[in-house]
Amino acid sequence: MKKLGILLSGRGSNFLAIHRAIAEGRLDAEIAIVLSNKPDAPGLEAARALGLKALAIPQQGKGTEARAAHDALMLAELWAHNVDLVCLAGYMRIISPAFVAAFPNRIVNIHPSLLPAFPGLDAQHQAFDHGVKVTGCTVHFVDEAVDHGVIILQRAVPVHDEDTAEALAARILEQEHIVYPEAIARVLSGDYAIQDRRYLRRSS
Ligand code: GAR
């Protein structure tokens, strides 16, 4: 059984969607560890309530050295739990090149926009404020640049005239919860090839 390591910083609804997909047999994997840089992240509490191992590793600062030291502690936990795939689920901290190199093409992230549009923070608000008519969410491999790696799966979400940014964000989140477990299942199947920036499925 493939082991997932989940990294989160907040409420953890994507983590819970992954957990639900496993419980419902849509995703053949187990969650080996949930890690957070935020000790008070509601997602950590939710993980513990589900009987999962959940640990906070508080961040010590944002400088290169502090980041490397924090990532080394995170990596030690992921290795100790024999994690096959690292899933960033609202993990709002940039990870270091050493972290990326430790899990080559084995770190995935979900981002609430159709990348490469609107990388960075508050992507749903960025899209809303820009006035786009279609936005969505993207699951991608993590590389050394922010919200940049090879795209695995995207789902489009329409923007309605009567929308608020909050209503739009909620509509995107619904799709995130569907698309993230599906993308993780695809990656774990190993049935894909990467050509340049293109993720290509070998079978459907
Ligand atoms: C989600 O919308 C996720 O796409 C976003 O944070 C939210 C976390 O919610 N991630 C990013 O913006 C990463 N750049 P959750 O804690 O309920 O899963």
Side-chain angles (χ1 to χ4, degrees):
M1 178 89 69
K2 296 282 187 186
K3 293 180 192 287
L4 305 180
I6 308 275
L7 271 55
L8 55 79
S9 302
R11 75 193 151 182
S13 73
N14 276 290
F15 146 63
L16 289 169
I18 294 166
H19 183 269
R20 201 160 47 243
I22 293 172
E24 292 174 2
R26 284 178 284 125
L27 178 57
D28 189 20
E30 71 179 270
I31 296 174
I33 181 87
V34 178
L35 296 173
S36 182
N37 57 326
K38 301 279 185 196
D40 57 352
L44 271 185
E45 206 41 59
R48 290 188 187 115
L50 289 166
L52 296 172
K53 177 123 196 242
L55 272 182
I57 302 181
Q59 57 198 58
Q60 310 291 343
K62 289 188 172 162
T64 312
E65 278 181 24
R67 204 175 286 286
H70 183 257
D71 280 0
L73 294 174
M74 301 284 279
L75 279 175
E77 287 298 334
L78 294 169
W79 282 325
H81 291 85
N82 295 315
V83 162
D84 297 293
L85 185 70
V86 179
C87 304
L88 309 187
Y91 186 62
M92 305 311 261
R93 186 170 164 87
I94 294 167
I95 64 177
S96 61
F99 195 145
V100 175
F103 281 90
N105 279 345
R106 290 197 294 138
I107 309 174
V108 292
N109 180 43
I110 183 139
H111 183 76
S113 75
L114 292 177
L115 290 172
F118 311 117
L121 290 176
D122 247 335
Q124 308 95 325
H125 280 79
Q126 291 186 55
F128 183 81
D129 291 345
H130 197 86
V132 297
K133 302 300 184 198
V134 178
T135 181
C137 51
T138 302
V139 183
H140 64 93
F141 286 110
V142 171
D143 67 8
E144 293 184 7
V146 176
D147 298 329
H148 173 269
V150 165
I151 292 169
I152 301 160
L153 202 51
Q154 292 186 302
R155 186 66 52 84
V157 172
V159 184
H160 303 315
D161 285 354
E162 63 279 14
D163 260 343
T164 59
E166 290 65 35
L168 176 61
R171 195 175 315 114
I172 296 170
L173 192 62
E174 270 176 38
Q175 296 306 313
E176 291 185 44
H177 294 165
I178 296 167
V179 109
Y180 205 8
E182 198 178 317
I184 292 169
R186 287 188 190 188
V187 170
L188 291 182
S189 80
D191 258 347
Y192 64 90
I194 297 177
Q195 281 177 12
D196 301 317
R197 276 202 52 92
R198 300 185 70 214
Y199 168 99
L200 304 170
R201 292 179 82 185
R202 288 219 180 92
S203 57
S204 51

